[in-house]
């Protein structure tokens, strides 16, 4: 009972992270299951079966908050389902001894990617137009395969790729990726059912993860608007890297001073990533505040100019003392707020 309660809390925490970042439910859950000694295929199968329920709840919640672009969902979910089915079939066919380092290496790589991704800001490019199927379909296929073979990876592959494109609002990227994962998790579960049979699913574990995730899903859809994803992504990336390092060191039979050295180097890198993420978050918030203040000033200036002379005769007499406004100043005034707003995106 105590173990199931812990797993339910893991599912709750993983779903909160997933809702805020658009990724890491599978990564977090699978990493902890592997750490507890669960076989890789059984861990991935159980997580994906639980995700059918959690992604359905997350999708409904994101839809209610207006965070879903259904056009993107339709173009990325079906290829993702094909890729996840293929990945589940592949993972089911190899031995536990071979699968453990493979899965740990994928999780380690994705964790390192999270560290790098969230230690620096993104630059938006919304003027580039809408995302096309020739980009979304291969992305979904690859992300689905990685997700099934690694026990997680749909979000860490799909979310950053869509964010980097700059063609969608961040909240709609997260909502669309979470919603499309319902089909991905379902296809992966079918693949594991064919490859492993019903015995490959740890049903008590599935139930515990599902309950925790269902509780957290509506909260996570709301948190996506307020939680600083920059810091959260760096924190989760470091946890995933350090946890899967243990499996990789064991697979390589590395002993002596190597583990201590590896953990020291990775820990230092994690600290640097956290500092960079905090600085990027601070710069973004500061630039946003400056841009909002400049835009507010620009919007109030025309109103003051229109109402001032009519209501205050003294202001009319004093106005020439300020000097004439040159055409260059008029042209430059709207450019500054736009430049500052662009800085917020970078």
């Amino acid at each position: 009972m105590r173990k199931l309660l812990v797993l339910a809390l893991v599912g709750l925490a993983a779903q909160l992270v997933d809702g805020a970042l658009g990724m890491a439910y599978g990564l977090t859950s699978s990493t902890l299951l592997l750490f507890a000694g669960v076989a890789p295929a059984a861990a991935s199968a159980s997580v994906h079966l639980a995700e059918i329920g959690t992604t359905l709840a997350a999708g409904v919640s994101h839809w209610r908050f207006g965070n879903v672009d259904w056009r993107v969902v339709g173009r990325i979910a079906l290829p993702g389902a094909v890729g996840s089915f293929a990945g589940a079939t592949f993972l089911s066919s190899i031995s536990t001894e071979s699968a453990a380092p493979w899965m740990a290496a994928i999780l380690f790589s994705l964790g390192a990617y999270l560290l790098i991704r969230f230690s620096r800001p993104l630059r938006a490019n919304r003027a580039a137009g809408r995302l096309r199927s020739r980009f979304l379909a291969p992305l979904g296929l690859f992300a689905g395969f990685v997700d099934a073979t690694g026990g997680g990876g749909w979000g860490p592959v799909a979310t950053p790729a869509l964010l980097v494109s700059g063609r969608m609002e961040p909240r709609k990227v997260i909502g669309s990726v979470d919603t499309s994962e319902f089909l991905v998790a379902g296809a992966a579960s079918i693949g594991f059912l064919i490859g492993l049979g019903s015995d490959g699913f740890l049903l008590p574990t599935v139930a515990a993860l599902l309950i925790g995730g269902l509780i957290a899903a509506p909260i996570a859809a709301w948190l996506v608007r307020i939680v600083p994803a920059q810091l959260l992504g760096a924190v989760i990336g470091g946890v995933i890297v350090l946890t899967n390092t243990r499996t990789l060191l064991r697979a390589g039979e590395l002993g002596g001073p190597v583990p201590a050295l590896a953990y020291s180097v990775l820990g230092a890198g994690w600290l640097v990533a956290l500092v960079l993420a905090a600085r990027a978050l601070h710069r973004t918030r500061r630039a946003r505040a400056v841009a909002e203040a400049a835009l507010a000033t620009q919007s109030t200036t025309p109103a003051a100019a229109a109402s001032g002379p009519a209501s205050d005769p003294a202001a009319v007499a004093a106005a020439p003392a300020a000097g004439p406004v040159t055409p260059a100043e008029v042209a430059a005034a709207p450019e500054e707020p736009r430049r500052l707003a662009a800085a917020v995106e970078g």
Side-chain angles (χ1 to χ4, degrees):
M1 183 64 186
R2 183 179 178 182
K3 181 179 179 181
L4 293 179
L5 180 60
V6 171
L7 288 172
L9 292 175
V10 168
L12 188 147
Q15 185 60 42
L16 287 176
V17 172
D18 188 87
L21 298 179
M23 64 184 82
Y25 179 89
L27 283 181
T28 306
S29 303
S30 297
T31 294
L32 293 175
L33 290 179
L34 284 181
F35 190 77
V38 177
S44 184
S46 301
V47 168
H48 281 91
L49 187 58
E51 280 186 321
I52 294 178
T54 59
T55 54
L56 178 60
V60 171
S61 299
H62 280 299
W63 167 67
R64 292 183 63 185
F65 279 97
N67 297 337
V68 179
D69 185 329
W70 290 105
R71 177 182 172 276
V72 172
V73 170
R75 285 164 172 73
I76 198 173
L78 292 178
V82 173
S84 65
F85 180 85
T89 305
F90 169 75
L91 187 63
S92 301
S93 66
I94 61 178
S95 66
T96 299
E97 292 75 15
S98 301
W102 164 272
M103 192 168 172
I106 292 177
L107 292 171
F108 180 94
S109 301
L110 292 174
Y113 184 77
L114 289 182
L115 279 177
I116 296 171
R117 159 66 188 84
F118 286 100
S119 63
R120 57 186 179 83
L122 282 174
R123 294 189 178 276
N125 185 28
R126 296 192 180 100
R130 304 175 74 181
L131 292 166
R132 298 185 178 182
S133 297
R134 63 186 182 188
F135 169 74
L136 294 172
L139 173 63
L141 188 67
F142 176 70
F145 184 84
V146 171
D147 183 72
T149 54
W154 174 255
V157 174
T159 299
L162 295 179
L163 285 172
V164 170
S165 73
R167 303 182 188 187
M168 294 176 65
E169 297 177 63
R171 67 182 181 89
K172 288 201 171 185
V173 169
I174 292 172
S176 301
V177 170
D178 272 3
T179 302
S180 60
E181 195 172 7
F182 173 73
L183 284 181
V184 175
S189 297
I190 294 173
F192 283 120
L193 182 62
I194 295 173
L196 300 176
S198 58
D199 294 337
F201 297 94
L202 306 176
L203 295 183
T205 299
V206 172
L209 292 173
L210 178 59
I211 291 171
L214 289 177
I215 293 173
I219 305 172
W222 171 72
L223 283 177
V224 70
R225 297 170 176 264
I226 62 173
V227 171
Q230 197 93 43
L231 287 178
L232 188 58
V235 169
I236 296 302
V239 171
I240 292 171
V241 165
L242 291 177
T243 306
N244 287 283
T245 298
R246 173 174 171 264
T247 304
L248 293 175
L249 291 174
R250 284 185 175 181
E253 299 180 351
L254 300 174
V258 175
L261 179 62
Y263 283 120
S264 298
V265 172
L266 292 174
W270 187 14
L271 181 61
V272 170
L274 287 173
V275 172
L276 292 175
R279 290 180 61 185
L281 178 63
H282 175 71
R283 288 198 303 268
T284 300
R285 286 180 170 176
R286 184 177 178 181
R288 183 182 294 116
V290 173
E292 289 174 351
L295 290 171
T297 302
Q298 181 184 350
S299 63
T300 56
T301 300
S307 61
S311 59
D312 188 0
V316 177
V325 178
T326 66
E329 290 173 333
V330 173
E335 288 301 322
E336 181 64 12
R338 280 200 290 269
R339 184 184 64 81
L340 292 170
V344 172
E345 303 295 343

